[in-house]
Amino acid sequence: MRENYNDKLDSVRSDLAEMCKLAEQAMASASAALLNADLALAEQTITSREDIDALALDWEHKAFSLLALQAPVALDLRIMVSGIHIVADLQRMGGLAIHIAELARRRHPAHVLPPEVEAVFAEMGRVAVEQAEATREVLLTRDTGLAAELKTADEEMDELHRSLFALTASDDWPHGVPAAVDTTLLGRFYERYSDHTVEVAKRVIFLVTGEFRSESA
């Protein structure tokens, strides 16, 4: 009985990592679609929503079943409680990547990004994917040190996000208001994606230590 319970507990842990992998893949393909005006890749990214949502729903069913039938306590209970929040963050990460792909599809065959901001978004895409990779590793290993390091990557994303404002607000910006709006919106999607990786890291720190650190994580 206990062995079966432990197997189910391990399963919900691995499912979180798998969800993170899907969100990571969605961001990688969305960024490539955005930078290359690749309609097929944008469509492929958008359809990944079904896989992410299905895995989230399956995780919730497993988790609530364990809560109802096994009444976990201490660390096991923290796994369930933290996991409920983590699933929401991972699902939102996937959703934000899909928003990027949807905007690339909406503007196709035109490129969404003016040349002046392409390099910034290439960096934002790189940082976002690396953060998702690190988040998946945190979920698998519960490494609180690596979880804390995700805050540094978030600061890098924030700096890239601020640089977009400098570009679009410049008197030399030649692309008009619609392009500035698209650029600002896309930058916000990347920034929020990054923020959710930090939230997952905080939840893992809580899971391991029992302490939720609102700022120090």
Side-chain angles (χ1 to χ4, degrees), residues 120-189:
V120 177
F121 277 100
E123 276 299 288
M124 293 178 94
R126 177 190 64 78
V127 172
V129 170
E130 287 181 357
Q131 281 184 281
E133 290 174 350
T135 301
R136 180 157 51 95
E137 186 68 17
V138 165
L139 288 167
L140 289 170
T141 64
R142 298 181 185 169
D143 184 334
T144 57
L146 181 57
E149 289 174 8
L150 276 166
K151 183 65 176 175
T152 301
D154 184 52
E155 291 168 359
E156 183 179 359
M157 182 67 82
D158 288 343
E159 183 60 34
L160 288 165
H161 189 226
R162 283 191 290 270
S163 73
L164 291 176
F165 286 108
L167 289 168
T168 57
S170 170
D171 292 337
D172 297 331
W173 178 257
H175 304 287
V177 172
V181 170
D182 281 349
T183 299
T184 301
L185 186 60
L186 286 164
R188 181 61 173 161
F189 292 155

Side-chain angles (χ1 to χ4, degrees), residues 65-128:
S65 175
L66 285 172
L67 283 169
L69 299 177
Q70 301 291 342
V73 296
L75 176 61
D76 293 351
L77 181 59
R78 291 207 300 272
I79 291 172
M80 296 294 100
V81 173
S82 298
I84 291 168
H85 292 283
I86 288 169
V87 164
D89 282 310
L90 296 175
Q91 198 168 16
R92 187 62 184 136
M93 285 166 62
L96 288 162
I98 288 163
H99 289 338
I100 294 167
E102 287 173 336
L103 188 51
R105 181 178 66 177
R106 193 176 306 130
R107 298 290 183 262
H108 185 82
H111 282 255
V112 181
L113 300 176
E116 289 88 341
V117 299
E118 285 183 353
V120 177
F121 277 100
E123 276 299 288
M124 293 178 94
R126 177 190 64 78
V127 172

Side-chain angles (χ1 to χ4, degrees), residues 41-50 98 101-103 105:
L41 194 53
E43 295 281 9
Q44 178 184 320
T45 306
I46 292 164
T47 59
S48 71
R49 184 197 305 271
E50 296 177 4
I98 288 163
E102 287 173 336
L103 188 51
R105 181 178 66 177

